[in-house]
Structure formats: C-alpha cells, structure tokens
Amino acid sequence: MSCVRRASYLTACLAVGSAACSAEPPAASPNRLHGLSDDSLICKAVTDRFVGIPGVEDGRAATQSKALHGSWWIRGCSAKRVANGIRVRFEGPGWYFLDRHDRDFALRQQVTFTLGVELEGAPQLTVDSGVASLRFEPTTTPEVEIHVTRNLSVRATSAWGSLVKLMPVVSVRDRVAQQLSAVAVSALRAKLRDGATATYELASGQRDVALGQLPAGQTPETAFTDGVPWLVNERVFLPANATQVVGPIDPGPTRLDARVEQGDGLAYRTVCQGDMPADYEAIASGHLDRLAPSALAAHGTLLGVGEHSATLRVDGCKFFVVLATLGDATTVAALRVRG
C-alpha cells in the first residue's frame, strides 16, 4: 500500500479494545490539529493523509460492507519505542455516512467527528513467496476517543418521535449523537480485533495493508486485480451528499480508473494540499458546490455503469482527489489511482 490509500490504513493503525466515547462537539478543528506530529518515520508517512473508513453497520449487503463509507484526515501523530514494541497516537477529523433508523427516529447524512487513537503493538516481520509481511498485534488495550457532532438532521418516524422533538427538555440530537458514538466505537472494536498486516511485494514494490493476520505470502484483496501498480485501490460507497477523499498525491500526471457497479457515476475534483484546510468543512459536509474555484484543480465526471478512466494533471502542488456521486442515486464503484 502507498500511504495515500486503503481504508484499512486507518484501521491498520488501530486495534480492538476499550474506548472513551463522547457525544460532545469536535474538540479541535482541522487547522488546530495541523502540525501536532513528531519526526518519527510512521508520523512522516501518515500525517496530513486521508484514510478511508470501511462500512461498519450491521445489516448492509456484503458488497457494500466492503466499500468505504467515510474518510479520516490524520492531522496529528506521535510515536515512540516502548518495552513491548511501539506506542503510537493518531488524531484528526473525519466523517462517515450513516443511514440508520429505529421506531421513532431516522438519520441519513454524512456525520462529522474527531477521532483519537493511542495503542501499543509488537510488529513481526516474515518473508514468504516473494511477499514481506509486517504483522501488527496489539499488546495492550488501545484508547479510542470519538467526538460526534450534534449537527444532525434527525427525522421523526412516529408520532412519539414528533412529540419528543417538540419537547425542549429532551435533546434528540444528543440522544442520536450518543448512539452514533457507541455504534462507531463498537464497530472499531469489531474491525480491529485481530490487528493488521502490511505487505510488500518484492518483485513489483506494491504495498498494501489489511485488517487481521494474513497468512505468510498472502496479499490483501483489492478492488482491481489486473496487476497494474497503483497508489489507491478501493471500493467506495457514495450516496447523495456524501464524499470520499484520497491523497495527498505527488504533482504530475495521474490516472484515475473507476468501475461503476451501481448508480449514475462519479464526479471528481482535485484540491491542492495547501487548500484543504480552507476547503475541509465544505467537503466534510458534502457541499462541494461551496469549494472555491482553483486554477490548479482538475475536475470531471465518469458517467454511468461500466469501466471509466481519466487523466488528472496537477503540476503545481501535491493534491487530494475528492469524489462524489452524480445525482441522487447511490454510487458503488471500484476506484484506482495510479501514476
């Protein structure tokens, strides 16, 4: 894996365990979190990168559960050696698309949060069948803190729900935010129970990472499997008003490949790394129409179900690729970015 991709890079850096969970508003803005990183190799590799969050909700179709439902922007990082291996902390803002309902309330929107994770682990390296595998197993219970926004568009689905929304002593938003925090932390525990494995194919130099302990010599499953080297190789799940971001990617010509499996297609736009702090709120809230015009931005659409490819030429800056669905239909697509 290149550190610009893989939803699982988020989860690969975490491990299952107990969590501190709060429904308070995000504790720090993206701008305030910037720069809180040390000079360790791992922090240099991940700071300021977006990593995807896989589907975590129960009841989703199997094909959707393997796709990315959100992004986490790592804005702070620290790492140091300890007796049992290494201790690392990552933090930053992000979002996740939720479609949840119960008897009284429903919520369908991109929900923003801030996330902090601290853990200790023991890396173990093996080489087999031309694949170097670095397995990470947690040696202590990690600490996870997630703060979910209260800015939620909760819809009543029953007469009781409508009545509760009218009562000033009852905060529906607080109730839902608390439930979402609990769901998110529970999902992290389930996803990270078995640690993670990073792989490096010696012949091609291709890197990747996946949850769990992969057998020696085995590489993770990817969306595209034709052997073409890639920087990003994932599946995305994009309902209306949802976004996904990958990067940063080095300047120069880059190829964007998409295999649209469901929906009307994808819209894409590049954002220079230096512009992301100003553009973050619009992207995280799903309002791409609020992004300021940029002479360096490349943009376009990939229409309809099927195979698509486009060249992204951004010469003046490192950049991110921002993706959204076209129209109101949910798009599910395999996505690859390659040099």
Side-chain angles (χ1 to χ4, degrees):
M1 162 196 120
S2 161
C3 288
V4 303
R5 59 110 30 223
R6 288 302 282 172
S8 20
Y9 201 94
L10 156 65
T11 46
C13 294
L14 317 178
V16 60
S18 64
C21 177
S22 170
E24 293 301 316
S29 70
N31 291 331
R32 286 176 57 196
L33 286 171
H34 181 59
L36 302 179
S37 296
D38 61 30
D39 292 328
S40 62
L41 291 177
I42 188 170
C43 288
K44 287 180 178 179
V46 303
T47 298
D48 211 31
R49 298 188 181 277
F50 279 86
V51 291
I53 304 174
V56 297
E57 292 187 84
D58 294 336
R60 285 212 183 278
T63 55
Q64 292 183 4
S65 65
K66 295 179 182 179
L68 306 186
H69 288 224
S71 291
W72 185 36
W73 191 15
I74 299 179
R75 298 287 274 166
C77 172
S78 62
K80 64 179 180 180
R81 293 183 180 276
V82 294
N84 293 327
I86 59 172
R87 177 184 297 153
V88 293
R89 178 175 176 83
F90 306 96
E91 61 182 7
W95 62 83
Y96 189 85
F97 190 87
L98 281 173
D99 186 2
R100 301 184 60 82
H101 59 86
D102 58 21
R103 185 175 59 182
D104 301 315
F105 299 103
L107 174 70
R108 180 178 171 83
Q109 76 176 85
Q110 190 157 279
V111 176
T112 58
F113 60 81
T114 56
L115 175 66
V117 178
E118 186 169 330
L119 63 127
E120 290 184 15
Q124 298 178 349
L125 178 65
T126 61
V127 179
D128 187 272
S129 302
V131 176
S133 300
L134 183 64
R135 295 180 178 85
F136 182 89
E137 273 194 75
T139 54
T140 63
T141 301
E143 298 179 6
V144 180
E145 298 179 8
I146 185 168
H147 302 263
V148 180
T149 180
R150 286 192 180 125
N151 186 23
L152 302 172
S153 300
V154 181
R155 178 172 57 88
T157 57
S158 69
W160 171 250
S162 299
L163 177 62
V164 169
K165 288 189 68 174
L166 296 176
M167 298 174 63
V169 295
V170 178
S171 173
V172 176
R173 288 184 175 181
D174 285 356
R175 168 188 162 181
V176 175
Q178 290 167 359
Q179 292 175 344
L180 295 181
S181 295
V183 167
V185 170
S186 176
L188 282 174
R189 289 177 180 152
K191 290 277 184 188
L192 306 170
R193 181 166 42 237
D194 299 323
T197 304
T199 61
Y200 180 83
E201 296 181 55
L202 301 180
S204 65
Q206 186 66 65
R207 304 173 187 178
D208 206 349
V209 66
L211 292 178
Q213 304 298 307
L214 293 180
Q218 181 176 322
T219 57
E221 180 183 350
T222 55
F224 286 85
T225 59
D226 55 9
V228 175
W230 41 260
L231 303 172
V232 177
N233 196 344
E234 285 288 3
R235 295 178 72 253
V236 294
F237 173 80
L238 287 168
N241 301 317
T243 52
Q244 188 66 33
V245 178
V246 296
I249 299 168
D250 289 335
T254 304
R255 199 71 176 166
L256 173 64
D257 301 322
R259 184 174 63 247
V260 177
E261 304 165 9
Q262 171 188 321
D264 296 328
L266 294 168
Y268 63 87
R269 164 163 174 172
T270 62
V271 173
C272 282
Q273 185 176 22
D275 294 335
M276 181 54 74
D279 289 338
Y280 175 83
E281 294 298 336
I283 294 170
S285 62
H287 295 291
L288 299 187
D289 56 315
R290 299 177 185 174
L291 294 180
S294 171
L296 295 176
H299 58 88
T301 58
L302 305 173
L303 296 172
V305 172
E307 302 276 349
H308 305 277
S309 191
T311 297
L312 309 178
R313 181 101 200 184
V314 181
D315 293 322
C317 61
K318 282 191 172 184
F319 64 95
F320 301 97
V321 180
V322 185
L323 300 147
T325 191
L326 293 175
D328 295 327
T330 295
T331 291
V332 178
L335 177 74
R336 178 172 62 192
V337 178
R338 51 192 171 99

